[in-house]
Amino acid sequence: MRVTVIGTGYVGTVTGACLAYLGHRVTCVDTDQGKIARLQRGESPIYEPLLDEILKLAAQRGGIDFRTELEGAAVESDIVFIAVGTPPLPSGEANLAYLEAAARAVGAALDTSRFRVVVNKSTVPVGSANLVETLVREGMVEVPAEERRRIRFGVASNPEFLREGSAIADSLYPDRIVVGSADPRVIEMMRELYAPLVEQKFDAPPGLPRPAGMERVPLLVTSLTGAEMIKYAANAFLTLKIGYANEIANICERVGAEATEVMAGIGLDSRIGAKFLNPGVGWGGSCFGKDVSALLHTAHEYGCQARLLEASLEVNQAQRNTVIQKLQEKLFILKGRTIGLLGLAFKPDTDDLRDAPALHIAERLLQMGARVKAYDPVAAEACAAQHPELRIRYCGTVEELAEDADALVVVTEWAEFRDLDLAGLAKRMVSPVLVDGRNLYSPEAATAAGFDYVGVGRGVRQPVPASSGRSRG
Ligand SMILES: NC(=O)c1ccc[n+]([C@@H]2O[C@H](COP(=O)([O-])OP(=O)(O)OC[C@H]3O[C@@H](n4cnc5c(N)ncnc54)[C@H](O)[C@@H]3O)[C@@H](O)[C@H]2O)c1
C-alpha cells in the first residue's frame, strides 16, 4: 500500500521504517527541516538500536523517502498516519496544537482520486478521533464546495505501544495491534496494511530474530474511543505496577527484606507477572507522566475522581526524592559535595531525556548546593543542548566521573554499567558512596569493592545472633 507518515520522531520514523520494511511504499513528512535533511542523508534523527539498519532495508524493500511537504505524498497515499507529538501543557492536558496543524494539512492535501484512511497514531485524549475528522474537513476550506463533497476519507485510531530502546522489535513483533474505527472500509484497509504483521509473513531482519512461538499477532478492532482509552489505560497501569514495586521496596528497606526477592516471589504469580516490577528511582520518559496526567484531566472533566492515577503520579515523584534522602543519610551535608550521576537518559538504549528522573535529581542536588557531574554513553550531548539551565559537568568516561566525587548514583541501567571496575572507581573517589538507584550491583560485591552501598528496597542486614547482647538479668 502507499503510506504517508506525518512526524518523524520516535514513533513516526520507526513506524515508517517498519511499514516500508514490510513492503509498503512509505513517505515520511516532518516540518523540521533538520530532521528531514538527516533522514535524507541516511542518518537517523534519534538514537534507537537497529533503526539505521531497518531504514536501509526499508529503502530496498517497500521504499521510503523523506520530505517537508505533505501535498504530493498525501495525494498518492491510501493511508496517512499522524504521528506528531502531543506534549503536556502545564495543566496536564495534552497539547493538541501539532495534531491540529497536521490534520488540517491532511485536509488541505486530499483530492477526489481515491478513498483514504487518516490514522491517528499520536496519543490523544479520548474523543480526539472525532476531532481529527472535523479538522481534516476544516483543512479543506480552500477546496471548492462541489469537490469537497466528493473527497472520501475515514478516520482510525491506532495507538502505538512501542518502547524506546526496543522500538523495532516492538513494531515488528507486537503483543497486539489495536484499530479503532466503526467504518468497515477503514477496518478492511487497516487489516490489509497490517496483514504481514498479523500473519508474521516477513523475513526477520538480521539481528532481530522472530521470538520463539510467535505465529500470529492479535488485531483488536474497537470503537474509536475504546482505542484511545486502551492506550491511556495501558500506560497508567504500567505506572501503577512500577509505583507499587517502589512502594513495596520502600517498606522492604524498613522491615529488613530484599525487594528483588520479594518481586521475584510475587512476579511468579501468573496473575501478576514479573515485568515492570523492578524497584528503582521511578519511571520517566515522554509518555507515562503525560499520559497519566491527560487521563486524570479527562476523568476530572467527566466528574470522575481517579484516586489511583493521582497516587501514581505522587508516588513516582516521591520515589525520585528517595535518592536525595539516601545521599543525605550517607553524606549528611550535600552542599559543596560532588555527586556523579551514572546515566541521564530516562532508560537505557535511548537518547530521550523527556521527564527523565536524572533531570529532577540533578536539579534538586544543584538547588541544594551540590556539584553535579554526569556520564551517559549516549544522551550527554542532548542533555547539554536541551538543558543549559542545569550546570552539570559532563564526563567522557566513568573514571572521570568518579574522580574526586563524594558519591555515585546509578540513575539509568545502561548495560555497560553492569561490568564496571567498582574497586577502581571507589579508589578515585573522596568518599566511596554508591546509591544504586537501579539495583544493578549485588550489595556484597559493591561492599567488597570498597563502596558504602545502598540500593532500592535492599533492607537485608546481617542478622544479630539471638545470644549476643546483654542478657536481661
Ligand atoms: N515516544 C514513545 O515512546 C511513544 C510511544 C507510544 C506513543 N507515543 C505517542 O506518539 C506521539 C509521537 O511521539 P514521539 O515520541 O514520536 O514525538 P516526537 O516529539 O519525537 O516527534 C514528533 C514529530 O512530529 C513533528 N511534527 C510536529 N508537528 C508537525 C506537523 N504539523 N507536520 C509534520 N510534522 C510535525 C515534529 O517536528 C517531530 O519531529 C505522541 O503522541 C506520543 O505520546 C510515543
Side-chain angles (χ1 to χ4, degrees):
M1 294 174 100
R2 187 72 178 81
V3 179
T4 293
V5 180
I6 306 177
T8 58
Y10 290 85
V11 169
T13 310
V14 170
T15 301
C18 288
L19 287 174
Y21 179 81
L22 295 176
H24 299 298
R25 175 70 183 85
V26 177
T27 298
C28 292
V29 178
D30 203 298
T31 43
D32 184 330
Q33 294 187 346
K35 275 189 183 171
I36 292 297
R38 288 188 67 175
L39 284 159
Q40 285 170 340
R41 288 197 298 271
E43 293 167 24
S44 162
I46 53 167
Y47 177 87
E48 178 62 42
L50 289 175
L51 179 56
D52 285 338
E53 290 83 342
I54 292 292
L55 280 167
K56 279 193 197 86
L57 293 168
Q60 292 160 15
R61 291 167 69 111
I64 188 164
D65 69 305
F66 305 94
R67 311 182 194 171
T68 50
E69 320 76 40
L70 176 66
E71 292 75 20
V75 164
E76 291 160 27
S77 289
D78 306 298
I79 299 195
V80 180
F81 276 92
I82 300 179
V84 299
T86 47
L89 290 166
S91 62
E93 271 175 284
N95 178 356
L96 297 181
Y98 304 104
L99 179 91
E100 288 172 7
R104 285 203 181 94
V106 173
L110 296 186
D111 68 2
T112 58
S113 63
R114 64 181 101 180
F115 177 83
R116 296 184 183 82
V117 182
V118 180
V119 186
N120 186 25
K121 208 171 231 323
S122 298
T123 304
V124 288
V126 174
S128 300
N130 298 331
L131 176 71
V132 167
E133 182 166 351
T134 306
L135 292 165
V136 171
R137 290 202 188 285
E138 279 177 16
M140 297 175 190
V141 280
E142 304 284 311
V143 181
E146 162 57 13
E147 194 185 335
R148 212 184 308 157
R149 274 192 288 277
R150 287 189 291 116
I151 295 178
R152 294 162 302 138
F153 73 96
V155 174
S157 170
N158 175 214
E160 180 55 61
F161 301 103
L162 65 77
R163 296 161 298 175
E164 290 171 19
S166 56
I168 306 295
D170 292 344
S171 299
L172 293 178
Y173 311 124
D175 289 338
R176 79 302 209 185
I177 298 165
V178 174
V179 173
S181 175
D183 183 335
R185 281 168 306 179
V186 169
I187 296 165
E188 192 189 316
M189 284 173 70
M190 293 302 283
R191 283 196 193 280
E192 190 183 338
L193 178 83
Y194 282 128
L197 271 192
V198 168
E199 291 157 22
Q200 287 291 302
K201 280 201 178 129
F202 59 90
D203 298 331
L208 203 58
R210 180 169 285 112
M214 177 149 203
E215 281 167 10
R216 224 181 143 76
V217 174
L219 189 150
L220 185 67
V221 176
T222 67
S223 66
L224 282 165
T225 312
E228 289 164 352
M229 268 305 286
I230 285 169
K231 175 64 196 171
Y232 282 112
N235 268 0
F237 182 79
L238 294 173
T239 70
L240 284 171
K241 207 170 173 193
I242 301 171
Y244 180 76
N246 285 334
E247 201 155 271
I248 294 294
N250 295 341
I251 302 173
C252 284
E253 281 178 12
R254 306 297 195 287
V255 301
E258 168 65 43
T260 51
E261 278 177 11
V262 174
M263 293 308 143
I266 68 170
L268 284 168
D269 186 326
S270 60
R271 294 168 302 176
I272 297 174
K275 290 182 182 162
F276 276 66
L277 281 181
N278 299 326
V281 299
W283 46 259
S286 67
C287 291
F288 281 177
K290 111 177 145 61
D291 291 354
V292 175
S293 298
L295 184 54
L296 256 176
H297 196 272
T298 303
H300 289 162
E301 269 184 353
Y302 285 81
C304 265
Q305 206 183 350
R307 292 195 191 88
L308 279 176
L309 301 184
E310 283 164 11
S312 190
L313 292 179
E314 281 167 27
V315 164
N316 196 55
Q317 209 54 30
Q319 194 65 18
R320 293 175 176 188
N321 291 334
T322 59
V323 169
I324 310 293
Q325 287 155 12
K326 284 174 178 165
L327 286 169
Q328 285 174 323
E329 278 162 26
K330 295 288 182 193
L331 298 170
F332 300 105
I333 309 287
L334 297 185
K335 204 177 180 66
R337 303 277 199 186
T338 300
I339 312 297
L341 303 184
L342 277 159
L344 290 163
F346 87 93
K347 67 172 176 179
D349 294 326
T350 182
D351 58 353
D352 200 342
L353 288 152
R354 290 177 282 184
D355 198 23
L359 301 177
H360 174 88
I361 293 166
E363 190 184 355
R364 284 291 315 273
L365 289 170
L366 289 165
Q367 278 166 359
M368 296 174 90
R371 311 278 182 270
V372 177
K373 298 162 86 177
Y375 168 77
D376 187 289
V378 169
E381 216 175 295
C383 194
Q386 292 166 23
H387 295 283
E389 79 285 1
L390 293 177
R391 284 174 301 100
I392 296 175
R393 204 180 113 204
Y394 297 97
C395 301
T397 61
V398 181
E399 289 71 26
E400 190 188 337
L401 183 80
E403 202 67 51
D404 297 331
D406 292 284
L408 292 181
V409 180
V410 180
V411 188
T412 315
E413 64 273 41
W414 282 97
E416 68 174 63
F417 294 165
R418 289 180 196 277
D419 305 316
L420 295 178
D421 166 20
L422 290 183
L425 294 180
K427 285 199 191 83
R428 291 171 183 267
M429 296 173 64
V430 174
S431 57
V433 168
L434 178 58
V435 178
D436 184 357
R438 299 292 179 184
N439 289 344
L440 270 194
Y441 308 109
S442 94
E444 294 76 19
T447 307
F451 272 108
D452 185 358
Y453 174 92
V454 56
V456 184
R458 319 197 97 171
V460 178
R461 297 195 174 76
Q462 288 303 316
V464 181
S467 58
S468 72
R470 278 173 45 197
S471 58
R472 286 162 195 260

